[in-house]
Amino acid sequence: MSSTRSPLCAVALFAFVVLVVAFSTRNWRSEDAKKTLLEELRARQQEILPFYPTKDGDTLSGTSAGSDVDAVACSQLARMQIAALLGSGYTKTVVQALLPPGPSVALKSVNHRGSDMRQCLEQFHDPMGCHQLVSFKLKKEIILLQRLQHPNIIKLKGHCQDGRTGRGITAILEQGTPLEMIQLLQSPWEERFRVCLGLVRLLHYLSQSPLGSVALLDFQSRQFVLVDGELKLTDLDDANVKEPTCQSDSDCMLQFPLRNFSFHCSEQRICEGMNEMRNLYNAYRYFFMYLLPHQAPPMLQPLVKEIMNSTGELKKGIASTLEAFEEILHIFKSGHHLENLPPLVIRDYVAVRGVSSVGSVNYRCWPSYSHQGCVLSVHSVTEAADICRSQPQCSSFTVQDQRTWTGRLLASFQSSFSHLVPDVNSVVYVRKMKASLVQAL
Ligand SMILES: Nc1ncnc2c1ncn2[C@@H]1O[C@H](COP(=O)(O)OP(=O)(O)O)[C@@H](O)[C@H]1O
Ligand SMILES: [Mg+2]
């Protein structure tokens, strides 16, 4: 009996020892994980502290807008109706919320299904702790949105702790539409230039912001939205507010997949100007390269080429780049780039004022402001007449009082129409050979 019992005892004892070791290792490991998580939480807290206007403040101030009429109070959050999912990323989820009679807003909160949350749970198995950790990114974004205010940064209308969903911190933002590069590529040059100009104005502001020179580490089109055609930065949690520190010039390398740039390590041991240049090169490779050269007005092409050259090689900083963009805008608005247009081209058309055409047979042109027909922006009726002359299908065009963001007129080109109706805001220009048709109407 004892001979059969002793091996059993040995096995049991062995199993017991294994269990105790496994249990204490697990305990030790979970203690270790807890410590690491606490350290990470502390580090995130430390990271955002310098952004507060007062040294001791670690709570976010009421609303970004203060007495701003746009401000939305947290009490209003309970009455909001969630209408649609606007987008989500590794860290955050954004939904559209309706608050009649005001405009709808975007609510940003932690994405509990995002990669940030998932990775944290895999490492720490602590839902509460992970929620806190990921929330710090949204807190950082809120405080940065409060401190950095610019027409090309999304407007923070308010923020709430433990909002209606009970899902922690919520940022209330003006609503935009996600920036779709494919869609932008098909839009008129004027709109694409607007996006690039907005980006350059934003980067100029960030290079000398109240917090210092800010680098956007995660610089992709999905971090921006459009509000009425204007580009706005919405994702700020990966912004870096300090210039990198260094010991020597070799520490100041900017590395991109196809290019490297080196910078100077200053006496203060920082890579001076590196944040600004990082942003500028990213603007070149993610935006300018796709949006700027294609279909630029012929007379403006040399200036555009110059910008492509100087940003692609980082020959100039953001201030000179902004100047070059503003110069293009000035010329484009003034119409100086059209000085070579034949002025008499308008003589080929009869102007019928106070009417618009009905039953038009439209043809498509590219890139048109309307998918249904050929709608282009023009500086003057002469430019519209010149376009109509160059398009074989065009027999008339209509100019309305609607204008684009640069103040140019919108002209709609047609191949024919059935009749004219009164419309005080519109003038129809008919090619002379077709004018007899109009006299008959
Ligand atoms: N104000 C807004 N209006 C409309 N959509 C938005 C707005 N802010 C963000 N989004 C959309 O939500 C997505 C996720 O937001 P973002 O702040 O980039 O989160 P993450 O840090 O997880 O990337 C964005 O890619 C964008 O498409
Ligand atoms: Mg994002």
Side-chain angles (χ1 to χ4, degrees), residues 86-92 94 106 108 141 154 173-178 222-223 225 234-235 237:
L86 293 172
S88 60
Y90 289 163
T91 320
K92 292 156 282 166
V94 183
K108 213 185 246 199
E141 186 162 290
I154 204 85
L173 306 163
E174 71 177 319
Q175 193 199 322
T177 50
R222 60 171 182 263
Q223 318 302 14
V225 290
T234 176
D235 188 348
D237 63 25

Side-chain angles (χ1 to χ4, degrees), residues 286-343:
Y286 284 116
F287 287 83
F288 304 165
M289 215 155 84
Y290 302 107
L291 302 180
L292 209 51
H294 178 58
Q295 292 223 325
M299 292 285 279
L300 295 175
Q301 279 172 11
L303 292 175
V304 169
K305 213 169 158 190
E306 176 69 34
I307 288 180
M308 296 304 288
N309 208 336
S310 76
T311 52
E313 299 292 325
L314 286 186
K315 285 187 200 155
K316 289 180 183 163
I318 190 68
S320 311
T321 308
L322 178 59
E323 269 174 34
F325 268 86
E326 297 289 1
E327 188 190 349
I328 291 186
L329 176 65
H330 175 74
I331 299 173
F332 189 67
K333 272 182 158 178
S334 66
H336 290 333
H337 63 297
L338 300 168
E339 271 161 11
N340 294 344
L341 275 186

Side-chain angles (χ1 to χ4, degrees), residues 361-372:
V361 179
N362 295 324
Y363 60 93
R364 295 218 188 148
C365 64
W366 193 83
S368 170
Y369 275 89
S370 153
H371 293 304
Q372 266 78 51

Side-chain angles (χ1 to χ4, degrees), residues 71-103:
V72 177
C74 290
S75 54
Q76 290 174 278
L77 212 58
R79 288 190 283 118
M80 285 186 195
Q81 193 191 331
I82 306 296
L85 175 72
L86 293 172
S88 60
Y90 289 163
T91 320
K92 292 156 282 166
T93 294
V94 183
V95 293
Q96 180 196 33
L98 308 178
L99 184 63

